[in-house]
Amino acid sequence: MRHLATVAAGIAATVLLTGCGAGDVERAPAPKSKSGASVTPKAAAAFEVETALKNADPAPYSAQITSESYAGSTLTIVMAGRMNLNGSAPTGKMTLKTSDGAPEDQAVNAETILLENATYTRTLDDDGATGEWQRAGLDSAGAGVADYSVYARLLLDLGPKARKGSEEVDGAPAHRLSGKLTQDQLRSVDRRLYDRMRSMGTEEFACDVWVNESGRVVRFEQWLTVSGVSAHNVVKLKNFGAPVSVRAPE
């Protein structure tokens, strides 16, 4: 399980820093719908998304996050926990678990602590027993984004075609932005994702971002192709609050 714990740490870092993690899990289908069950494509109270993003509180904050990665149409891995965002880099604590259909030799059940310069991961057993913490460093020269609103702003730069109007997400209004982002667009704002896209031979990916009235991203979805396999990532954010303390394990 030692290698799997390291892989789990890498998945957590890439999904939560860049919204791109399916490249690490290549054997599992992308749902055709571009909105999940918690998104209601029904007109909600309209608001100006550009103004909401501009007026968003710039202070660091935390959010409860759930991330699901699919390969083809099969759920491969689920992550859940609380993350600090809008700081110098995302930090937080997450659990990672592969779907029940994953081959036994590829199964992952772990918890990860994500710091600015490293991740610490240990495996979990079904009975709650835990393994030893393993540290994996992060390359600060290729730092990822600190907040998902970066993707919302990149989509706004695509013009009116990216604005899909107001929808309800978990019972509250959110403006959906949709479009495709390229390597060149990401070069200056998310070097880590830019480098990963280059290494995977991925020129662009489609994504949708839902922004609430406070300028916070409450949902992020991404579609891309990795090694000929369709991948789909879904990230949900809610219960926003003050940053939480995150430290390396003793």
Side-chain angles (χ1 to χ4, degrees), residues 16 27 40 54 57 60-61 63 69 76 87 107 117 120-121 130 135-136 170 189 195 205 239 246 250:
L16 296 173
R27 293 181 178 83
T40 304
K54 181 179 179 180
D57 188 344
Y61 65 96
S69 291
T76 60
N117 62 348
Y120 293 83
T121 301
T130 57
R135 183 184 186 279
D170 293 332
V189 298
D195 289 341
F205 63 81
N239 296 334
V246 183
E250 298 181 353

Side-chain angles (χ1 to χ4, degrees), residues 55 67 80 106 109 144-145 150 153 172 185-186 211 218 247 250:
N55 294 336
S67 174
Q106 297 180 32
N109 184 12
V145 301
V150 167
R153 294 186 178 92
Q185 288 174 287
L186 293 161
V211 181
V218 294
R247 297 178 181 177
E250 298 181 353

Side-chain angles (χ1 to χ4, degrees), residues 54-123:
K54 181 179 179 180
N55 294 336
D57 188 344
Y61 65 96
S62 69
Q64 181 180 336
I65 293 183
T66 302
S67 174
E68 300 175 346
S69 291
Y70 297 81
S73 59
T74 301
L75 177 65
T76 60
I77 192 165
V78 176
M79 290 173 286
R82 193 160 192 89
M83 295 293 298
N84 295 320
L85 301 167
N86 223 29
S88 55
T91 60
K93 298 180 181 180
M94 303 290 292
T95 59
L96 305 90
K97 187 174 178 61
T98 45
S99 63
D100 294 338
E104 186 174 347
D105 62 348
Q106 297 180 32
V108 174
N109 184 12
E111 61 179 337
T112 290
I113 297 175
L114 179 63
L115 304 178
E116 292 187 7
N117 62 348
T119 59
Y120 293 83
T121 301
R122 63 180 177 180
T123 57

Side-chain angles (χ1 to χ4, degrees), residues 5-238:
T6 301
V7 171
I11 293 172
T14 53
V15 170
L16 296 173
L17 290 172
T18 68
C20 176
D24 295 281
V25 185
E26 297 183 6
R27 293 181 178 83
K32 295 180 179 179
S33 173
K34 280 206 169 187
S35 61
S38 63
V39 177
T40 304
K42 165 180 168 181
F47 62 92
E48 177 48 57
V49 62
E50 192 167 10
T51 300
L53 286 167
K54 181 179 179 180
N55 294 336
D57 188 344
Y61 65 96
S62 69
Q64 181 180 336
I65 293 183
T66 302
S67 174
E68 300 175 346
S69 291
Y70 297 81
S73 59
T74 301
L75 177 65
T76 60
I77 192 165
V78 176
M79 290 173 286
R82 193 160 192 89
M83 295 293 298
N84 295 320
L85 301 167
N86 223 29
S88 55
T91 60
K93 298 180 181 180
M94 303 290 292
T95 59
L96 305 90
K97 187 174 178 61
T98 45
S99 63
D100 294 338
E104 186 174 347
D105 62 348
Q106 297 180 32
V108 174
N109 184 12
E111 61 179 337
T112 290
I113 297 175
L114 179 63
L115 304 178
E116 292 187 7
N117 62 348
T119 59
Y120 293 83
T121 301
R122 63 180 177 180
T123 57
L124 301 174
D125 294 333
D126 291 338
D127 60 4
T130 57
E132 295 183 359
W133 286 106
Q134 298 175 45
R135 183 184 186 279
L138 295 176
D139 182 6
S140 60
V145 301
D147 185 86
Y148 281 97
S149 63
V150 167
Y151 300 110
R153 294 186 178 92
L154 288 176
L155 290 173
L156 280 175
D157 289 342
L158 299 179
K161 63 182 181 181
R163 301 174 186 238
K164 303 303 180 181
S166 187
E167 299 178 351
E168 286 188 4
V169 178
D170 293 332
H175 193 109
R176 181 166 69 95
L177 301 169
S178 181
K180 291 185 178 180
L181 300 179
T182 66
Q183 281 188 21
D184 287 342
Q185 288 174 287
L186 293 161
R187 189 198 306 257
S188 62
V189 298
D190 192 344
R191 185 72 190 193
R192 182 169 290 149
L193 179 53
Y194 170 74
D195 289 341
R196 283 183 57 78
M197 289 178 68
R198 291 185 64 194
S199 68
M200 294 187 299
T202 302
E203 296 292 334
E204 63 181 15
F205 63 81
C207 69
D208 283 9
V209 178
W210 286 261
V211 181
N212 70 10
E213 293 178 292
S214 298
R216 299 294 188 217
V217 172
V218 294
R219 188 181 181 97
F220 175 93
E221 296 199 36
Q222 176 197 51
W223 295 261
L224 69 163
T225 300
V226 180
S227 301
V229 177
S230 297
H232 181 201
N233 295 312
V234 180
V235 181
K236 305 171 187 176
L237 303 93
K238 63 181 182 179

